[in-house]
Amino acid sequence: MNRHTNLRRLSLCLAPTFVVAGSLASLAADVARGQERVQRSTADERDRPADELDRPRNKERWSHRGYEVRTNQFIVIANTRVEDARWAAQQMETAWADFGRLADAWMKGHHQPDFGIGAVQVYIDANTPKDRDLPPTTLSVVGIQTQITLYVAPGQPALEDQLYRLRKAAGQAFLHTAELDRQLPPWACDGLASYVAAEGLSAEERKAGMALDNSPSVPRLAGQQWRFKRAEQDGLQMPAFDHAAAAQRVEFLLTGSDAAHAPAFFAAIQDSIAAVQERRIQGNLVSAAPGEEQPAALGPLDQLAASLAKPFEQWQTAPLSGQPRLETDENTSAEVLQAERKMAVVLKLARRFAGTEKAAVHTRITAFDKEKGMTVLSRKVESQSAPLPVLYQRMVAPERPLWGTLNAEGQLVLSTDRPALKTMLGLEENRYHWEAGNGRSVLTTTVDDQWKLQGWLEENKTDPSRPLAKFTATKLATKR
């Protein structure tokens, strides 16, 4: 037996030892990586490939249930017309995207490609509800899925009149899909859904939708079912819920005083989510026995609302506090009026983020008279406003904390939404520029190449929280 044969036998004997050692090292590395991973939650951003079988194979089809329109997140079924299913699917897509933009302030999990695939079903029913389905509900939770039912039978509102309820139900379905409805108090969930439902609707549509939402003759929204105990063998005790109060409180936290409380509101949402995750790790998330009510503990959102109780009462009497009061002419055209609203937002931001700009250089002229004494003839020139590109860089500076404001349509815009800020300031098309007039900086723009519009802010002695926005519109001699 030669030396090469002995070495080969020795390597074969030691091979299992090396394999075991390598396996143990790999296992130890996997355990270390597993300990570094966070528990699965809305803050978990790991990529998970979606099951392609869950995606819709047919965008539209006819089945025994009616006309079906399918998207990645929604299955819309209507036993009336296919146009109804298409309309509802389009509205669901819009409402889902609107809520997602608002949720960007506290989470990122909804940007995953597999988020909410097949999680929501919308059913448009023209039949009278059966006795076993009474009392009818618009929103029902079945496992991890959400079912939205719109009743269009005789005696029920028309489908288009239920747009507000459909958008609100879409917001609640988003909350359930992201498990936020288990981590936030009921008033916050209902208020967030109401706020998103009202976005993009006219004042008449919003008012009619809210009135329909609080009417006892229409199906109610039946979310938050797991928080209540059973009243009967097949029914839960659903206490009365003040939807209008929840909507007002969340609207105040998002828009009050020009969105001054929105950053604190989003921070409280993140703290609430973190607190629930901590309770899950400790294993005491469910503290009530089966059949008993599980009241939600007062969390960061409840504490924030309690600390802002007095400002909330003031906001209820003056909801436009912090917004400029526009002084416009009755004969102003719709185009110029819209331009004035947009300019008022720029003037508001220019005052809010005004820095210590150097005053313009001017000559001081002083006259001396034996009878009148010393008299200053030159007028003091006010500080110049910063150019809008400089103002934008000041607004989005990395050291500046999160802030929000309301645009010309009254919608919330956060400092993280850079495209929206550039659009408001008109930076892409160089829409505005400053001019000196009557000792002040005046913002100037042109409207439809026919009007020269100038605007500025003045103090409001009656209501200091709402400065006066004044404008002058001059007809251009020739159209450019």
Side-chain angles (χ1 to χ4, degrees):
M1 187 179 297
N2 55 18
R3 184 168 61 90
H4 295 286
T5 304
N6 293 333
L7 291 176
R8 181 181 179 185
R9 290 183 176 179
L10 179 62
S11 63
L12 292 176
C13 294
L14 295 178
T17 305
F18 294 147
V19 172
V20 172
S23 301
L24 292 176
S26 177
L27 179 61
D30 292 340
V31 172
R33 285 194 297 268
Q35 292 177 351
E36 295 176 358
R37 293 175 181 172
V38 297
Q39 187 175 0
R40 182 174 182 180
S41 65
T42 55
D44 192 354
E45 301 179 13
R46 287 177 293 172
D47 293 332
R48 296 183 178 88
D51 190 351
E52 296 299 327
L53 296 178
D54 293 336
R55 300 186 184 275
R57 301 179 184 179
N58 302 314
K59 298 296 183 180
E60 294 186 7
R61 71 171 185 172
W62 163 260
S63 68
H64 64 284
R65 297 185 296 177
Y67 300 97
E68 295 186 8
V69 177
R70 292 173 175 259
T71 63
N72 286 338
Q73 287 81 17
F74 320 117
I75 303 174
V76 183
I77 305 170
N79 58 15
T80 55
R81 304 179 306 164
V82 66
E83 290 80 9
D84 295 341
R86 293 170 181 170
W87 178 84
Q90 179 62 37
Q91 299 301 328
M92 286 292 296
E93 289 279 1
T94 304
W96 194 270
D98 292 342
F99 204 103
R101 282 191 294 270
L102 181 63
D104 288 339
W106 68 80
M107 62 177 290
K108 298 183 182 300
H110 58 290
H111 290 293
Q112 295 291 336
D114 60 338
F115 176 79
I117 293 182
V120 186
Q121 176 177 288
V122 182
Y123 187 59
I124 303 173
D125 192 2
N127 300 321
T128 304
K130 300 179 181 179
D131 295 339
R132 64 182 182 184
D133 297 331
L134 295 177
T137 58
T138 298
L139 187 78
S140 300
V141 177
V142 182
I144 62 174
Q145 293 184 334
T146 309
Q147 178 170 325
I148 302 172
T149 305
L150 299 179
Y151 297 93
V152 293
Q156 296 292 340
L159 179 60
E160 289 75 10
D161 297 337
Q162 302 187 47
L163 175 58
Y164 176 86
R165 292 179 60 81
L166 177 61
R167 288 178 57 86
K168 183 175 180 179
Q172 291 182 325
F174 186 100
L175 290 167
H176 181 69
T177 304
E179 293 189 0
L180 292 175
D181 50 358
R182 301 189 182 187
Q183 305 172 19
L184 305 179
W187 66 266
C189 295
D190 193 89
L192 286 170
S194 299
Y195 177 81
V196 175
E199 278 189 333
L201 302 183
S202 62
E204 293 76 10
E205 293 176 336
R206 192 179 310 156
K207 184 177 180 180
M210 291 182 178
L212 190 64
D213 190 26
N214 293 276
S215 176
S217 60
V218 298
R220 58 185 176 180
L221 295 171
Q224 307 292 341
Q225 294 182 0
W226 50 86
R227 294 181 184 269
F228 311 120
K229 60 183 180 181
R230 291 186 180 275
E232 300 175 359
Q233 182 178 2
D234 57 347
L236 298 177
Q237 182 180 356
M238 301 288 291
F241 187 82
D242 194 346
H243 299 279
Q248 282 190 352
R249 188 170 294 278
V250 172
E251 184 181 1
F252 158 73
L253 292 173
L254 290 176
T255 65
S257 300
D258 196 25
H261 310 296
F265 181 56
F266 296 141
I269 291 179
Q270 293 176 339
D271 293 341
S272 299
I273 296 174
V276 172
Q277 296 298 328
E278 184 67 22
R279 290 171 58 196
R280 285 179 174 174
I281 294 175
Q282 296 175 0
N284 60 349
L285 180 62
V286 179
S287 58
E292 294 182 359
E293 186 176 5
Q294 182 184 349
L298 296 180
L301 282 173
D302 300 284
Q303 298 172 1
L304 176 64
S307 64
L308 297 175
K310 187 175 181 180
F312 175 59
E313 295 178 358
Q314 298 174 353
W315 174 83
Q316 288 179 312
T317 58
L320 296 179
S321 177
Q323 302 300 324
R325 183 186 297 274
L326 275 66
E327 291 191 352
T328 59
D329 191 358
E330 297 179 351
N331 300 326
T332 303
S333 62
E335 293 78 8
V336 176
L337 185 61
Q338 181 64 17
E340 290 177 351
R341 294 194 186 99
K342 294 181 179 180
M343 181 178 285
V345 175
V346 181
L347 293 171
K348 174 185 64 176
L349 294 176
R351 168 174 288 199
R352 181 174 175 180
F353 295 95
T356 57
E357 302 294 331
K358 296 182 179 180
V361 179
H362 64 284
T363 304
R364 179 186 176 93
I365 303 176
T366 305
F368 296 91
D369 190 271
K370 294 182 179 180
E371 298 179 356
K372 299 181 180 180
M374 185 178 64
T375 305
V376 179
L377 301 181
S378 61
R379 185 174 181 178
K380 183 180 178 180
V381 179
E382 297 182 358
S383 299
Q384 292 181 347
S385 299
L388 295 185
V390 177
L391 179 66
Y392 171 77
Q393 295 298 330
R394 187 180 300 165
M395 291 161 55
V396 299
E399 64 274 8
R400 188 177 297 277
L402 178 70
W403 57 270
T405 187
L406 302 183
N407 59 13
E409 289 75 24
Q411 298 176 348
L412 176 64
V413 178
L414 298 176
S415 57
T416 53
D417 193 352
R418 307 296 175 83
L421 294 178
K422 290 183 179 180
T423 301
M424 286 194 301
L425 298 178
L427 298 181
E428 300 295 338
E429 62 272 19
N430 196 18
R431 187 189 312 157
Y432 303 104
H433 63 277
W434 295 102
E435 292 183 356
N438 296 328
R440 66 169 66 92
S441 295
V442 179
L443 193 63
T444 306
T445 187
T446 57
V447 181
D448 294 340
D449 291 337
Q450 297 181 9
W451 297 89
K452 179 181 179 180
L453 182 63
Q454 293 182 319
W456 65 94
L457 293 181
E458 293 184 1
E459 298 297 334
N460 188 352
K461 298 180 180 179
T462 305
D463 186 2
S465 65
R466 300 195 62 189
L468 300 177
K470 297 187 176 183
F471 307 93
T472 58
T474 305
K475 187 75 172 179
L476 297 178
T478 57
K479 186 175 182 180
R480 296 183 181 180

